[in-house]
Amino acid sequence: MDERPEMELMSIPTTPRVSTPEILTPTGQRSPRSIRLGGSKDQTKSSWTPTSLISPRFLSPIGTPMKKVIVNMKGYLEEVGHITKLNPQDAWLPITESRNGNAHYAAFHNLNAGIGFQALLLPVAFSYLGWSWGIIALTIAYFWQLYTLWVLVQLHEAVPGKRYNRYVELAQAAFGERLGVWLALFPTVYLSAGTGTALILIGGETMKLFFQIVCGPACSSNPLTTVEWYLVFTSLSIVLSQLTNLNSIAGLSLVGAITAIVYCTIVWVLSVTQMRRPSMSYQPISSPTATASPFSIFNALGVIAFAFRGHNLALEIQATMPSTFKHPAHVPMWRGAKVAYTLIAMCVFPVAIGGFWAYGNLMPSSGILNALYGFHNHDISRGLLATTFLLVVFNCLSSYQIYSMPVFDSFEAGYTSRTNRPCSIWVRSGFRVLCGFISFFIGVAFPFLSSLAGLLGGVTLPVTFAYPCFMRALIRKPPKYSFSWYLNWTLGWLGIAFSLAFSAGGIWSTVNNGLKLRFFQSN
């Protein structure tokens, strides 16, 4: 045979096909394909694809125009599994407009979302549950939510060619378009908005205590009221919320993570090193009636569930990372999450156990921080107390940003879908100011932090403990009656049952505290 046509075809220079880097696309959905130029023969044979036979040597007898068509088809077939469908609207929304996240950002965001003021309420739950049930419930909740977090990280790219960038999107893929929205939209928005409200409450009260400690006896005769401190905290939060997207607040998340670790450590160390009250007891707090007792226990368990909220942000955090066929986003996400939740365990367990050991059933309903100030404000230096309270304020300001981001994203998604254009700076600022003051007015109307925490934990418990198990069973479809099938369906239905019980306990506690507040105000 004459090999000249083959040699001529092989000598034609071909321009290498370079994929667009993910961070340069409107949404970062296009995954790059690694290309080796000038590599050795061993390098070019290191990978095999079903299109390997479509090569210039194999196609040598075919004319040049046909060869170009088929070679282009080869490149397309090789890219199929690497390309994700693009949604231009993602480039306009705060969660997905930046895709340059990494494992460090994942650790910062998960720490900022997973630890904070809610850890300070864990000794309150122990005061109703006692030693044994408190430790058992906290341990089970920790490992349960760690498993569901792993499930969410793995399901982020469960379908080739698509990334589920938001919790609601994954719920729609698992439960259907309409049912997924009904099941997931309310608890995720409620969790974000409710956490923002709780942050305003604890942040404003802590700022008030910080001012009292720093000012001391020299305080003016007309100090700011608690509601006015709520307003001050809300105003600061709104100013910081003008940062554009989730990646732009990575620095704030780092500040929030560091301050949370530091003040949790300070609080439990100071508590266990001080003298305990002689009237203290480790017996669980008894309710006045037999009917109220189970509701108090359910509310305490809801507080523990609320301590591990943050899964409604897992997919959103992972959406800020680039993802390629060889380097999927779940690898750095899980690496950062493991570091974050190891540090979270090193904070929540000592705070819960140390706080209950130090104060027992004398623990106030507002948490260990108020117990430290109420019992030992004269035993601890003012400088150390003021520093601790200031760290709590910084953490609340940082946590408010990451929990409000899904709410901002929902507002802006509705605007961009109707107008088919991105939000201007004034529209975006208006949405964030509106969200901040809505949370402020809710906080003024329901200033019951511990009750709000139990109710939040009950209503939003499926987001953390139940829905991810159902999603894995419905999307991955493990063999029926296998261990994975039993595990996910059992955990899912247990989570739904606990959610109903804890919500009832949270509602009872909220109503009960509201009646007590009105009674004291009337007298």
Side-chain angles (χ1 to χ4, degrees):
M1 290 181 58
D2 185 6
E3 296 183 357
R4 290 181 59 189
E6 178 181 347
M7 298 301 296
E8 289 176 358
L9 289 174
M10 292 299 294
S11 63
I12 296 174
T14 58
T15 303
R17 300 180 70 255
V18 180
S19 297
T20 304
E22 187 171 6
I23 58 174
L24 298 181
T25 60
T27 62
Q29 295 278 14
R30 173 110 180 214
S31 301
R33 186 162 56 97
S34 59
I35 295 174
R36 293 171 176 162
L37 301 177
S40 63
K41 185 180 295 185
D42 294 336
Q43 288 177 324
T44 59
K45 293 184 179 180
S46 59
S47 60
W48 181 89
T49 64
T51 60
S52 297
L53 294 177
I54 308 177
S55 63
R57 182 176 297 276
F58 180 77
L59 299 171
S60 59
I62 305 178
T64 301
M66 182 62 70
K67 171 196 168 293
K68 288 183 178 180
V69 172
I70 299 182
V71 169
N72 288 337
M73 184 182 296
K74 171 195 172 184
Y76 170 77
L77 293 174
E78 288 179 348
E79 286 282 353
V80 161
H82 300 259
I83 298 176
T84 309
K85 291 186 292 184
L86 298 172
N87 182 3
Q89 188 184 10
D90 281 348
W92 301 337
L93 301 179
I95 288 177
T96 50
E97 70 178 10
S98 175
R99 299 269 192 175
N100 59 354
N102 52 43
H104 298 91
Y105 284 17
F108 301 159
H109 288 317
N110 278 288
L111 265 172
N112 191 26
I115 189 173
F117 76 93
Q118 74 279 6
L120 304 177
L121 299 173
L122 288 174
V124 180
F126 272 53
S127 64
Y128 287 92
L129 299 174
W131 278 118
S132 300
W133 287 111
I135 294 176
I136 290 172
L138 185 61
T139 304
I140 292 176
Y142 176 79
F143 286 103
W144 188 347
Q145 61 85 34
L146 198 62
Y147 168 71
T148 56
L149 177 64
W150 176 81
V151 168
L152 290 175
V153 171
Q154 297 299 318
L155 292 180
H156 179 81
E157 296 173 282
V159 178
K162 182 173 179 59
R163 296 180 68 177
Y164 298 110
N165 298 315
R166 295 162 184 84
Y167 196 99
V168 177
E169 294 177 8
L170 184 60
Q172 288 178 302
F175 305 118
E177 293 290 331
R178 293 187 177 180
L179 183 59
V181 172
W182 281 102
L183 291 177
L185 185 61
F186 171 73
T188 53
V189 173
Y190 180 77
L191 179 57
S192 295
T195 303
T197 301
L199 286 167
I200 289 176
L201 295 178
I202 191 66
E205 292 174 358
T206 307
M207 291 179 73
K208 179 181 179 180
L209 293 175
F210 171 76
F211 180 78
Q212 292 176 353
I213 294 171
V214 172
C215 185
C219 286
S220 61
S221 58
N222 295 316
L224 295 178
T225 63
T226 304
V227 175
E228 290 171 338
W229 280 113
Y230 293 163
L231 184 59
V232 172
F233 182 87
T234 304
S235 302
L236 292 176
S237 300
I238 290 174
V239 172
L240 291 176
S241 68
Q242 301 308 312
L243 294 171
T244 55
N245 55 61
L246 194 55
N247 269 338
S248 66
I249 65 170
L252 283 177
S253 291
L254 175 60
V255 172
I258 293 174
T259 53
I261 294 172
V262 173
Y263 78 67
C264 283
T265 304
I266 292 176
V267 166
W268 75 262
V269 169
L270 289 179
S271 297
V272 300
T273 54
Q274 301 298 318
M275 293 292 295
R276 288 182 291 175
R277 297 282 171 171
S279 58
M280 182 195 67
S281 172
Y282 294 124
Q283 291 296 324
I285 297 176
S286 58
S287 300
T289 61
T291 306
S293 180
F295 288 108
S296 299
I297 294 174
F298 289 153
N299 183 63
L301 293 172
V303 172
I304 292 179
F306 182 58
F308 296 109
R309 86 277 187 270
H311 286 41
N312 65 311
L313 296 169
L315 296 172
E316 285 79 354
I317 295 171
Q318 194 168 345
T320 64
M321 301 178 184
S323 185
T324 68
F325 184 75
K326 292 186 177 180
H327 303 286
H330 70 82
V331 176
M333 175 64 183
W334 183 238
R335 188 184 304 126
K338 286 189 295 184
V339 173
Y341 278 85
T342 300
L343 294 174
I344 288 173
M346 295 170 61
C347 292
V348 297
F349 281 91
V351 168
I353 296 173
F356 185 59
W357 182 86
Y359 304 107
N361 60 357
L362 298 180
M363 176 67 62
S365 61
S366 50
I368 187 175
L369 192 64
N370 288 60
L372 183 66
Y373 178 77
F375 293 130
H376 304 296
N377 60 330
H378 299 295
D379 305 326
I380 303 172
S381 66
R382 288 174 54 191
L384 186 57
L385 272 179
T387 302
T388 304
F389 281 79
L390 186 61
L391 291 173
V392 174
V393 173
F394 285 160
N395 172 256
C396 290
L397 289 171
S398 302
S399 297
Y400 180 88
Q401 309 310 316
I402 192 169
Y403 270 96
S404 298
M405 199 61 71
V407 181
F408 301 156
D409 188 85
S410 298
F411 272 93
E412 295 183 28
Y415 176 86
T416 55
S417 62
R418 284 183 171 86
T419 62
N420 197 27
R421 61 181 180 183
C423 294
S424 65
I425 187 173
W426 299 110
V427 173
R428 174 170 283 184
S429 299
F431 281 146
R432 301 185 180 199
V433 171
L434 177 64
C435 292
F437 280 105
I438 289 176
S439 298
F440 166 75
F441 287 119
I442 294 175
V444 172
F446 301 99
F448 319 118
L449 181 57
S450 60
S451 303
L452 188 62
L455 182 59
L456 279 169
V459 173
T460 62
L461 184 144
V463 174
T464 301
F465 295 94
Y467 289 166
C469 301
F470 290 139
M471 291 172 182
R472 182 170 177 82
L474 294 172
I475 294 177
R476 294 296 190 186
K477 292 182 172 58
K480 198 171 184 180
Y481 305 124
S482 63
F483 174 77
S484 178
W485 187 88
Y486 276 116
L487 175 67
N488 288 288
W489 283 108
T490 302
L491 291 179
W493 286 115
L494 278 177
I496 297 298
F498 288 153
S499 174
L500 296 175
F502 299 170
S503 298
I507 293 172
W508 174 87
S509 182
T510 302
V511 174
N512 187 48
N513 285 345
L515 293 175
K516 286 181 180 179
L517 181 63
R518 291 181 182 178
F519 174 78
F520 287 125
Q521 287 177 344
S522 62
N523 292 331

